[in-house]
Amino acid sequence: VSVGERAGAGSRVLELEQERFLLNGRSDRRKFPWHVPVGITGPGMAKPRFFLMKSRRLAITPLQRGSLKRGDSWVKLNPGQSGFYRVGYDAGLVAKLRQGLTSPTLSVTDRLGVVDDAWALARAGWMKTSDALEMLERLRGETEYIVWTVLAGALGQAEILARDARSRESLECFGRFLFQPIARRMGWRPRPRETHLDVFLRSLVISGLGHCGDPSTVQESRRRFRAFLAKGELDPNVRHAVYATVAAHGGGGEFEK
């Protein structure tokens, strides 16, 4: 579902258009319309509003009151990711939603959904890759493991699509920038009363920084690997991250061990 906006008589009007989404970027010539339950949420909304889209195009004016009436506020479709459809926003709405990604109004599921949709659209050529990467950057302060799995996955897919060494180096630099705040928060050692998701997140972050060649992560991974060879001690929760980092950035002797 593609979304744009225009000014109406005293309110904002959202203009929606549906089209079958194919990950390879191709267009479905048959253009069969679906009945799409479109939900909308935004700042100041206690609960989302829903509309049924029965045709290819739909214009709705759900934003007559409160903060959503202002043209500078963000809107997010498919709240809770309850609908089986992707959402593509026009440039103006993308810029506003990017600012809203750090809003407490936006749930974990919705933050995940925004990034997942953006990256799927970028892969299919429906959205600029630079715009999708800026979505990732806005979530640099994210602390939820499930959102980080999507961020890390999107970064990995971007690296696969990179066609030259210079692009890959730029993505690795961006990856280090993205992971460093959460790495400082998680550290290498378990903390009191942390959950199993914290354990998963620590391993994911160390793996991500190691893959991107972060010097301090590579150094610490090699130190822990040498200690493991000498004493047989290595936290099993970071073992895979240490092995992968050392294999990627260590010498031939370390790789063989």
Side-chain angles (χ1 to χ4, degrees), residues 135-191:
M135 288 286 193
L136 270 63
E137 182 180 356
R138 285 295 297 176
L139 288 170
R140 188 171 178 244
E142 179 62 54
T143 59
E144 294 290 339
Y145 168 72
I146 189 63
V147 179
W148 271 106
T149 62
V150 177
L151 297 177
L155 193 61
Q157 291 171 11
E159 186 177 357
I160 292 173
L161 296 175
R163 297 184 177 181
D164 54 69
R166 183 177 179 181
S167 297
R168 288 191 291 273
E169 289 175 2
S170 296
L171 283 170
E172 288 178 355
C173 181
F174 177 77
R176 293 191 293 270
F177 169 79
L178 191 69
F179 280 113
Q180 282 168 352
I182 189 64
R184 288 192 293 268
R185 181 178 186 273
M186 300 306 300
W188 280 83
R189 297 180 181 278
R191 299 170 300 172

Side-chain angles (χ1 to χ4, degrees), residues 98-133:
R98 191 162 54 235
Q99 299 303 313
L101 281 174
T102 56
S103 168
T105 307
L106 208 59
S107 69
V108 173
T109 303
D110 284 327
R111 297 198 300 273
L112 181 155
V114 168
V115 174
D116 195 45
D117 280 353
W119 199 253
L121 293 169
R123 286 184 62 192
W126 290 37
M127 182 178 186
K128 291 182 179 179
T129 302
S130 57
D131 288 341
L133 289 173

Side-chain angles (χ1 to χ4, degrees), residues 1-4 14-21 27-36 38 52-59 126:
V1 177
S2 301
V3 192
L14 294 183
E15 296 182 319
L16 281 60
E17 182 175 357
Q18 64 163 287
E19 183 176 348
R20 186 184 180 194
F21 174 75
S27 179
D28 186 352
R29 296 180 179 179
R30 295 172 294 179
K31 299 185 182 299
F32 293 138
W34 294 68
H35 285 195
V36 182
V38 177
L52 184 60
M53 186 177 188
K54 297 181 180 180
S55 58
R56 284 197 64 211
R57 294 180 177 86
L58 176 67
W126 290 37

